[in-house]
Amino acid sequence: MINFKKNRFVLLAFLSLQFGFSQDKMPHLQKKGNKIQLIVEEKPFIIRGGELGNSSATSMESMETIWSKLTDMNLNTVLTPIYWELIEPQEGKFDFSLVDDLILKARKENLKLVFLWFGSWKNSMSSHAPEWVKLNQKKYPRVKDDKNKSHEILTPFNENNLQADLNAFQKLMKHIKDFDQKQQTVIMVQVENEIGMLPTARDYSLMASEAFNKQVPDELLKYIQKNKEKLVPEFFEIWKKNGLKTSGNWEQIFGKGLHTDEIFMAWFFAKFTNKIAKAGKDIYPIPLFVNAALNASEKKPGEYPSAGPLPHLMDIWKAAGTSIDMFSPDFYNPLFKHWNDLFTRQGDPLFIPEHRFDVTAPFKGLYAIGHYEAIGFSPFSIESVADAKKEPLGKIYDLIRQLTPAIEAHKGTGKIDGVLVDKAKPSQIIQLGNYEFTFKHDYTLNWSDGSKNEIWPIASAIIIEITPDEFYIAGSGIVVTFKPLKKTSLNAGILKTDQGKFENEVWKTVRHFNGDQTHQGRHLRIAVGDYEIQKLKLYTYE
């Protein structure tokens, strides 16, 4: 969610005059056609990312053997935690030496950084809060369940909790600005991490219960009335079922049940997080996002990390989170397309900051950047590989690296798409330019080496329309056939197919394909295990 509000432009103008920076020269998001671009160093930027394991960046010694792996996999961005407990070990006394070391080393390796603020919440819990917060529960209280038992989650209803986190985040953002504004190594910051309520759907502490019985804030009521026609259906149906009321407490407006408990918590988690984000953005307004742990459909609120920025709660988070630029999914769920469809259904940009680093990750990353025109992609525990130079992720990232200028030039124009195929769904149809393309898994060819295998590896590709008859197709494990869209009585044929690469953003043909490589002009193929860009020119004939 991008907030192009008038008051923000006034703020940016003021900051520019006072501190010598402007929005167009610092990392920011901008609209391109019907999509969103990330701009870094005044150029469009696609994050070829990798997220470090939770404890890998706790010292520079632990990072020594990691940096070379990152560059060997063609990353351009590292997502790394910044730990509240380490930067403010004593109240009011800050140590940014680890932050500085990360920035300096990333610069040396020509990498950008996305900092993940492990502040009040990390994977729902408050595990990264400093000792002085954890040991003073009276001043910094936790949530309580319905049996009045406290849990290791700081309550969002307490002002001391808010101010402690807000102060630390302000100091972090000021330090990043002072230390990195000119070089722009840090390009985005995640505020908190996988916020969620467990093991009950809402906080039952005294402060929370008092808030639960009060009137629903006018700010939320005005938002849902103004955006009534645009609300996500799951949320709208809850409101509609209870009569579309516009005044009352939480249960009067949304009904009794776990769903209302979750809506209530989502509002207060979002308001707390937004205050943190706004305080940081007032100092250094680079893009800020919040991530979500995905819920399982069979689980009820309280059985999963409830009330985070999940699709069914997106309107709550948008109403409260006016200083947050994006809401992003973390993937440990196989339903990749399903969840990304939900996160983008209101026209929001897609950034995937965390995906299980499994064999599917590279191909899903390429699909996300092709089909959803995502801002970027990042597998988790990126440093866990044994031989980074052999990783498929690095080969896919190299294709994305080469194609980035073409992707960003055509972004938001309806001239880019992606496919993801496997044995369960071996084909996909795309329409671009003058043609309909049928992408199939390489193993659908009966002469392919793996066609009889019980398990097929996942495969993916991106297609970019250069002209209505000319296209770049890149990926691995796909076979493509084509037919005309307009004059269906005609045949489509290959006029030219070149395998090549981009050098200094200029296309260079390496091999001209024909004969067996194109099945005598009948298809384009990139076999499983190959990672290629092919430039395809088509024509029609009777």
Side-chain angles (χ1 to χ4, degrees):
M1 181 182 68
I2 296 188
N3 304 297
F4 295 123
K5 291 191 173 181
K6 183 178 179 181
N7 60 349
R8 185 176 173 192
F9 286 120
V10 172
L11 169 66
L12 287 168
F14 172 77
L15 292 172
S16 178
L17 290 171
Q18 293 292 314
F19 302 107
F21 63 84
S22 60
Q23 186 191 31
D24 62 339
K25 291 185 178 180
M26 36 189 314
H28 64 278
L29 302 176
Q30 71 176 22
K31 194 161 187 179
K32 171 85 162 50
N34 62 359
K35 299 294 181 181
I36 300 298
Q37 290 177 312
L38 171 62
I39 305 298
V40 176
E41 295 176 351
E42 302 182 63
K43 293 176 62 177
F45 189 89
I46 296 175
I47 291 175
R48 307 189 307 272
E51 181 179 339
L52 297 173
N54 293 329
S55 300
S56 293
T58 51
S59 73
M60 289 314 295
E61 288 78 10
S62 64
M63 287 291 297
E64 283 181 1
T65 61
I66 293 175
W67 294 104
S68 61
K69 291 183 179 182
L70 307 179
T71 54
D72 283 346
M73 283 185 284
N74 292 304
L75 272 69
N76 63 5
T77 308
V78 186
L79 282 71
T80 178
I82 298 298
Y83 316 88
W84 185 9
E85 60 183 327
L86 295 186
I87 70 165
E88 194 183 5
Q90 299 179 56
E91 186 175 3
K93 295 182 179 180
F94 291 88
D95 179 1
F96 292 108
S97 57
L98 183 58
V99 173
D100 295 347
D101 285 341
L102 286 166
I103 292 173
L104 291 171
K105 189 61 177 178
R107 286 179 193 165
K108 185 178 178 181
E109 300 293 339
N110 197 30
L111 291 166
K112 298 298 185 182
L113 293 172
V114 173
F115 281 159
L116 315 176
W117 175 235
F118 285 10
S120 290
W121 302 296
K122 194 273 175 192
N123 290 40
S124 300
M125 303 295 140
S126 299
S127 53
H128 290 279
E131 289 184 10
W132 52 270
V133 170
K134 291 181 179 179
L135 294 175
N136 193 348
Q137 189 176 349
K138 184 175 181 180
K139 185 175 181 180
Y140 304 108
R142 297 164 175 77
V143 303
K144 290 183 180 291
D145 64 20
D146 53 354
K147 297 178 177 60
N148 203 38
K149 179 183 177 182
S150 292
H151 291 268
E152 190 75 275
I153 304 174
L154 291 171
T155 178
F157 296 92
N158 181 268
E159 186 67 19
N160 291 333
N161 289 347
L162 171 64
Q163 290 303 319
D165 189 332
L166 186 149
N167 180 61
F169 192 69
Q170 282 181 316
K171 292 291 194 298
L172 173 64
M173 293 298 286
K174 184 179 187 305
H175 187 79
I176 295 170
K177 172 183 172 292
D178 292 344
F179 193 80
D180 188 53
Q181 177 185 330
K182 290 183 180 179
Q183 290 85 352
Q184 299 182 19
T185 312
V186 181
I187 58 173
M188 290 203 299
V189 177
Q190 176 183 289
V191 188
E192 312 298 343
N193 180 268
E194 293 188 358
I195 297 165
M197 182 65 198
L198 290 167
T200 51
R202 76 170 176 90
D203 183 0
Y204 285 85
S205 66
L206 179 61
M207 291 175 291
S209 295
E210 288 176 353
F212 188 69
N213 291 316
K214 289 181 179 179
Q215 299 288 298
V216 173
D218 287 341
E219 185 181 355
L220 175 57
L221 293 173
K222 288 177 181 177
Y223 180 93
I224 63 177
Q225 290 175 75
K226 180 180 178 181
N227 296 279
K228 183 177 178 181
E229 304 302 321
K230 303 175 185 177
L231 300 176
V232 298
E234 303 93 332
F235 176 70
F236 179 75
E237 287 303 316
I238 289 172
W239 186 33
K240 180 181 177 182
K241 185 177 180 180
N242 213 47
L244 299 175
K245 295 176 183 176
T246 57
S247 65
N249 65 26
W250 293 91
E251 288 188 337
Q252 288 169 339
I253 290 182
F254 299 114
K256 291 186 178 181
L258 295 176
H259 63 279
T260 296
D261 292 348
E262 185 177 32
I263 290 169
F264 164 75
M265 286 303 299
W267 175 258
F268 284 96
F269 273 133
K271 288 297 289 184
F272 183 110
T273 306
N274 190 67
K275 290 175 182 176
I276 304 293
K278 184 180 184 304
K281 188 165 277 188
D282 285 349
I283 293 168
Y284 190 41
I286 60 176
L288 303 180
F289 69 99
V290 178
N291 64 333
L294 302 180
N295 55 304
S297 59
E298 70 276 9
K299 300 289 186 181
K300 298 176 182 179
E303 296 176 347
Y304 60 82
S306 306
L310 291 159
H312 66 287
L313 301 168
M314 197 60 74
D315 294 305
I316 303 295
W317 275 85
K318 285 185 176 183
T322 52
S323 292
I324 301 167
D325 295 296
M326 292 186 295
F327 301 106
S328 299
D330 286 356
F331 273 99
Y332 296 88
N333 184 302
L335 301 178
F336 192 70
K337 186 177 186 302
H338 167 78
W339 284 105
N340 287 326
D341 286 348
L342 292 179
F343 270 87
T344 57
R345 62 183 164 177
Q346 291 178 315
D348 298 308
L350 181 66
F351 172 53
I352 300 171
E354 186 172 335
H355 188 289
R356 186 193 302 274
F357 197 3
D358 57 17
V359 295
T360 72
F363 308 96
K364 289 177 178 175
L366 181 61
Y367 173 68
I369 289 166
H371 182 65
Y372 298 99
E373 300 179 54
I375 284 170
F377 181 81
S378 174
F380 176 69
S381 192
I382 193 71
E383 74 280 17
S384 62
V385 299
D387 189 344
K389 291 183 178 179
K390 293 183 179 179
E391 279 296 315
L393 180 70
K395 297 172 183 178
I396 290 291
Y397 273 179
D398 185 52
L399 300 180
I400 295 169
R401 176 189 64 80
Q402 294 182 59
L403 285 167
T404 291
I407 293 170
E408 294 302 297
H410 294 87
K411 195 164 200 170
T413 63
K415 295 183 178 182
I416 306 174
D417 211 334
V419 298
L420 192 67
V421 291
D422 56 18
K423 194 168 188 178
K425 187 181 178 183
S427 66
Q428 189 174 332
I429 293 174
I430 283 175
Q431 294 181 348
L432 275 182
N434 293 328
Y435 301 91
E436 178 179 283
F437 296 83
T438 299
F439 285 76
K440 292 185 178 181
H441 195 287
D442 180 41
Y443 286 2
T444 58
L445 297 176
N446 56 20
W447 65 83
S448 182
D449 292 339
S451 61
K452 293 181 174 57
N453 290 357
E454 184 177 345
I455 298 174
W456 292 4
I458 197 168
S460 68
I462 184 173
I463 179 170
I464 305 168
E465 177 193 338
I466 311 167
T467 73
D469 297 304
E470 197 167 13
F471 308 86
Y472 292 122
I473 296 177
S476 181
I478 51 95
V479 178
V480 191
T481 56
F482 12 80
K483 64 181 183 180
L485 273 177
K486 297 176 182 177
K487 296 184 179 180
T488 55
S489 60
L490 298 178
N491 300 299
I494 295 175
L495 200 60
K496 193 176 184 182
T497 307
D498 292 332
Q499 179 203 9
K501 59 184 178 180
F502 285 92
E503 293 182 350
N504 298 319
E505 301 186 11
V506 176
W507 174 257
K508 178 181 178 181
T509 296
V510 176
R511 286 196 297 170
H512 174 63
F513 280 162
N514 212 326
D516 292 343
Q517 281 70 44
T518 64
H519 195 29
Q520 285 67 48
R522 286 175 280 190
H523 68 214
L524 178 149
R525 181 190 182 194
I526 305 174
V528 168
D530 291 338
Y531 300 83
E532 298 176 1
I533 305 172
Q534 294 188 26
K535 188 176 183 181
L536 174 69
K537 192 167 187 178
L538 300 174
Y539 75 109
T540 57
Y541 62 94
E542 294 182 358

